[in-house]
Amino acid sequence: CSWLVVVAAVAASLSGLMLGYEMGLTSGVLLQLRGLLSLSCREQELLVSSHLLGALLICLAGGPILDRYGRRCSLLLSAALVVGGSVVLIAVTSLIALSLGRVIVGMGTALSGTGACLYIAEISPRERRGLLVTLYELMLVVGVMLGFSCSYAFATLPHGWAYTFGLVIPPALLQISVLVFLPPSPRFLVARGKVEQARIVLARMRGGVQEHVEVELRDIQAGLKEESEHSFWELFSAKANLRSRLLTGVALVFLQQATGQPNILSYASPLLRSVGFNSDAAATLASTGFGVVKVVGTIPAVLLVDRVGPKSFLCVGAVAMGMSLATLGILTLQSHTQLTSLCKSQTILNHTHTPWDLNRTTIDLDNSDIFSSHLPSQWNSEEAQGTNREDNGIGEPGGEKTYVEVSSSLKLASLISLLVYVAAFSISLGPMVYVVLSEIFPMGVRGRAVSVVSAVNWATNLLISMTFLTFTEKIGVPNVMFIYSAMSFVLLVFVILCIPETKGRTLEEISKELAKK
């Protein structure tokens, strides 16, 4: 690859870093803010899902933006949204302001994610396309690791959550400063009738080998000529097998979310508390391991995708995810996990285990009576449950509440199961979904098609995250894990039957074959 392609791919992949960072910081920041603002279960779900709501909103309008103004301009707009939303998050401390800021940031990260993958796929030579597209996922998992790490690092500082939210601004500004000097993708230029400009850009990106440039330019023109008459509504027709392709993409991203990944990330720290990590700091630190595992798991996927192909990675990952989730379900069944340990602010229950000074000028945690008259009704019922546990001998002298002690072996096994699940996702569904989506749609409707699929992706993510705590309350953590495990095996069957093999082929060759099916 030429230096220009590498620089452009890295700059676009900063979108993945920002999205991953916002995903990773959620669980740690949630533990801080739910104590600071006395958030109920429903308010916690609102705070987590507001980012996803913004992503869904921009996806519904993102297709026309991507196809009309191009991938590069869309990335510039999205970075500006991330900066603006982060300023709102830092400036005002209230549930409404935090939710609004998260919506704006969600709009920015979702638009940039879609635009980045398309931009990278369209500037990359075919022999390096898979590697460069999965660079986005590598940056995403690095972002997740940084999000977990920063939420832990700033946990003990007053307003530490504000510093965590603000650290996404520098990469957004860096992306803007680099993208200003980069060209649009050659495919977008040809689609807009700027053939000569596309030829110049291709020559720069392919190292000036004229015959290769002309062959690739002819392929782009031929592909666009066949696809130029596609309208948005033809995505839902049988023409060129577009409806089947769209359903394939929709089903793939639905299963990506339905296997539980968004909740494992968003509620990682509360979930770890439920399996025996008996302080917020311990749970947040343990969840930071998820970020490290995601990085380590993604590296082989990035290096081997062009040789192995995305379909093989998806199959292996689905099996490993299904087995690890089934194991986790059995372990949580043994540890008798309760909803209150997932949902309730632990800073209220046990002051001796509170490592954070959550802005004592606002809430004085040293005053043990401060919460007594301000607890929402749902929390009062949970206090009653805690009292019942004490009556059963699960209490400390002096009236301090604690939790059922989980054996260290059970705790370790639960953590390992979660880490295996995260690693399996990181080598399969994480990077490979982006590769498949960037390859299966024709150029003329690729932006709109990927936006429709992304809208389904974010809508599913939103629905799952908004209902996780409520759903867990109804059926329990073990049954939720068993459902996620079953969905992983459904994913395996779907990949074997429906996902095409795309390794070593141009976008035009893939499109022609899919049009014939």
Side-chain angles (χ1 to χ4, degrees):
C1 293
S2 70
W3 67 269
L4 182 61
V5 171
V6 173
V7 170
V10 171
S13 295
L14 286 173
S15 297
L17 182 74
M18 291 184 285
L19 176 58
Y21 182 79
E22 292 294 332
M23 293 165 59
L25 65 80
T26 303
S27 68
V29 167
L30 179 63
L31 286 181
Q32 299 176 53
L33 290 175
R34 74 181 185 182
L36 180 64
L37 301 177
S38 296
L39 300 179
S40 68
C41 292
R42 301 296 179 270
E43 288 170 337
Q44 290 177 53
E45 289 176 335
L46 173 63
L47 188 59
V48 169
S49 59
S50 56
H51 179 266
L52 308 175
L53 176 61
L56 175 59
L57 292 175
I58 199 65
C59 281
L60 297 176
I65 296 173
L66 288 164
D67 286 336
R68 182 178 179 85
Y69 299 105
R71 293 36 163 153
R72 187 179 69 98
C73 288
S74 298
L75 290 175
L76 289 168
L77 171 62
S78 65
L81 286 171
V82 170
V83 173
S86 298
V87 170
V88 173
L89 285 167
I90 296 169
V92 184
T93 307
S94 71
L95 179 61
I96 294 175
L98 289 169
S99 298
L100 177 61
R102 293 281 285 168
V103 167
I104 297 172
V105 171
M107 293 171 68
T109 52
L111 179 62
S112 67
T114 304
C117 292
L118 291 175
Y119 184 66
I120 295 171
E122 291 172 7
I123 64 172
S124 304
R126 66 175 177 178
E127 65 274 9
R128 289 289 181 266
R129 188 178 63 245
L131 172 66
L132 292 175
V133 170
T134 51
L135 178 62
Y136 172 89
E137 174 66 15
L138 178 61
M139 294 289 272
L140 189 147
V141 297
V142 169
V144 170
M145 181 180 69
L146 291 175
F148 279 126
S149 302
C150 291
S151 63
Y152 174 72
F154 293 112
T156 57
L157 297 179
H159 298 289
W161 55 270
Y163 297 121
T164 306
F165 280 136
L167 283 178
V168 77
I169 295 177
L173 295 176
L174 175 62
Q175 186 181 52
I176 291 173
S177 64
V178 175
L179 284 172
V180 167
F181 299 100
L182 292 175
S185 75
R187 282 182 171 83
F188 173 73
L189 291 171
V190 173
R192 305 302 291 177
K194 301 176 180 179
V195 179
E196 281 305 315
Q197 192 176 343
R199 180 180 284 110
I200 293 170
V201 172
L202 265 178
R204 292 173 62 194
M205 290 184 167
R206 301 297 180 260
V209 182
Q210 196 61 33
E211 60 183 46
H212 293 170
V213 169
E214 292 301 325
V215 169
E216 188 168 349
L217 191 60
R218 283 196 298 271
D219 286 343
I220 293 172
Q221 289 173 312
L224 284 173
K225 185 177 179 180
E226 292 179 10
E227 299 160 3
S228 60
E229 296 186 7
H230 291 310
S231 69
F232 174 78
W233 297 110
E234 285 177 347
L235 281 173
F236 305 95
S237 72
K239 183 177 180 181
N241 210 28
L242 284 176
R243 182 168 55 209
S244 176
R245 297 196 221 185
L246 183 64
L247 289 174
T248 298
V250 166
L252 185 60
V253 297
F254 172 80
L255 289 169
Q256 181 187 37
Q257 303 302 326
T259 51
Q261 178 71 3
N263 288 332
I264 297 298
L265 288 182
S266 298
Y267 298 101
S269 298
L271 185 62
L272 284 167
R273 290 215 61 160
S274 77
V275 294
F277 290 85
N278 288 329
S279 76
D280 288 341
T284 305
L285 180 60
S287 66
T288 303
F290 291 3
V292 176
V293 169
K294 283 183 76 69
V295 173
V296 174
T298 302
I299 290 173
V302 171
L303 296 178
L304 299 175
V305 60
D306 289 314
R307 280 185 282 175
V308 177
K311 186 170 183 175
S312 298
F313 275 113
L314 286 169
C315 290
V316 172
V319 172
M321 287 165 60
M323 294 178 66
S324 60
L325 285 168
T327 302
L328 183 61
I330 295 170
L331 291 171
T332 51
L333 198 62
Q334 292 296 316
S335 65
H336 306 293
T337 299
Q338 302 295 325
L339 172 72
T340 49
S341 57
L342 281 182
C343 182
K344 192 169 184 177
S345 177
Q346 310 301 338
T347 60
I348 295 171
L349 288 180
N350 193 340
H351 303 281
T352 61
H353 290 150
T354 302
W356 298 337
D357 182 356
L358 294 178
N359 190 4
R360 290 182 184 272
T361 60
T362 304
I363 296 179
D364 184 3
L365 293 183
D366 288 334
N367 185 348
S368 61
D369 297 324
I370 190 71
F371 299 106
S372 60
S373 61
H374 296 91
L375 286 173
S377 59
Q378 186 173 0
W379 283 30
N380 285 329
S381 67
E382 292 172 347
E383 287 282 346
Q385 292 176 27
T387 303
N388 291 337
R389 287 196 299 273
E390 283 192 62
D391 293 339
N392 291 326
I394 311 172
E396 293 180 359
E400 290 184 335
K401 299 176 180 65
T402 186
Y403 296 95
V404 177
E405 182 65 30
V406 178
S407 70
S408 58
S409 59
L410 196 61
K411 188 162 46 174
L412 180 62
S414 298
L415 179 60
I416 291 173
S417 298
L418 278 168
L419 292 176
V420 170
Y421 166 75
V422 170
F425 183 93
S426 299
I427 67 168
S428 57
L429 277 177
M432 299 308 156
V433 167
Y434 296 105
V435 176
V436 172
L437 292 181
S438 67
E439 293 176 337
I440 64 174
F441 296 113
M443 173 63 195
V445 293
R446 188 172 295 141
R448 283 166 287 181
V450 171
S451 288
V452 170
V453 172
S454 295
V456 174
N457 181 24
W458 289 111
T460 307
N461 195 337
L462 176 64
L463 178 64
I464 290 173
S465 295
M466 279 188 69
T467 58
F468 178 64
L469 295 178
T470 304
F471 196 41
T472 305
E473 182 180 22
K474 300 298 182 184
I475 67 172
V477 174
N479 289 328
V480 171
M481 295 301 128
F482 291 139
I483 290 172
Y484 289 161
S485 176
M487 294 305 295
S488 298
F489 290 110
V490 171
L491 169 69
L492 175 64
V493 175
F494 172 78
V495 170
I496 293 172
L497 298 179
C498 301
I499 300 298
E501 185 58 75
T502 60
K503 67 175 179 178
R505 304 162 73 187
T506 66
L507 295 177
E508 287 70 26
E509 290 170 348
I510 295 167
S511 185
K512 285 179 182 178
E513 180 186 333
L514 290 174
K516 296 174 184 177
K517 286 188 176 181

